[in-house]
Structures are given as structure tokens and as C-alpha cells.
């Protein structure tokens, strides 16, 4: 199930949701089905040949400067 990002045309609420092929998403605020699908950040292509470096923190997962036990992943 892919995650899509939407903007509601009725109330302008922006949200993302899991969408199955057989379902029509609706706005969680006003329940309108008049939605505009947004371009996902993950769907865009970069123009640079170099990839951005991944910042690893002391615990190696989220990069929280407090180190292991300081972030929500621990």
C-alpha cells in the first residue's frame, strides 16, 4: 500500500494516507473527496550526481546529539 500526500480542495488541509487500489481517500478534517494529489518528496529526482551524505549520530540511527537513549528509537 503506497502512502500518498494530498491537499483537500474544500478546506485546504494537507495530509498523507495509505491508499489501497480499491479505496477513495477522504479528508480527515472535513471528509471531502475533492483532493489534489501532491508530488511526494521521495518521487522527485535530483539533478546532482552526488548523493547527500547520511548524518549518523552517536547511536547510528537518528542522529540525535544526545546519543543512545536520547531519541525515540531507543
Amino acid at each position: 500500500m503506497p502512502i500518498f500526500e494530498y491537499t483537500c480542495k474544500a478546506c485546504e488541509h494537507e495530509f498523507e494516507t495509505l491508499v489501497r487500489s480499491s479505496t477513495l481517500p477522504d479528508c480527515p478534517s472535513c471528509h471531502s473527496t475533492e483532493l489534489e494529489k501532491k508530488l511526494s518528496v521521495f518521487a522527485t529526482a535530483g539533478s546532482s550526481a552526488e548523493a547527500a551524505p547520511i548524518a549518523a549520530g552517536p547511536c547510528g540511527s537518528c542522529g540525535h546529539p544526545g546519543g543512545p537513549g536520547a531519541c525515540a528509537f531507543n
Side-chain angles (χ1 to χ4, degrees), residues 13-59:
H13 178 73
E14 294 182 358
F15 63 98
E16 59 184 38
T17 188
L18 291 171
V19 180
R20 295 181 183 186
S21 60
S22 62
T23 60
L24 179 65
D26 65 342
C27 175
S29 294
C30 70
H31 302 288
S32 172
T33 56
E34 293 185 39
L35 307 173
E36 179 179 341
K37 190 183 290 187
K38 296 173 55 177
L39 180 61
S40 174
V41 174
F42 297 106
T44 61
S47 61
S48 174
E50 294 183 27
I54 298 174
C59 67

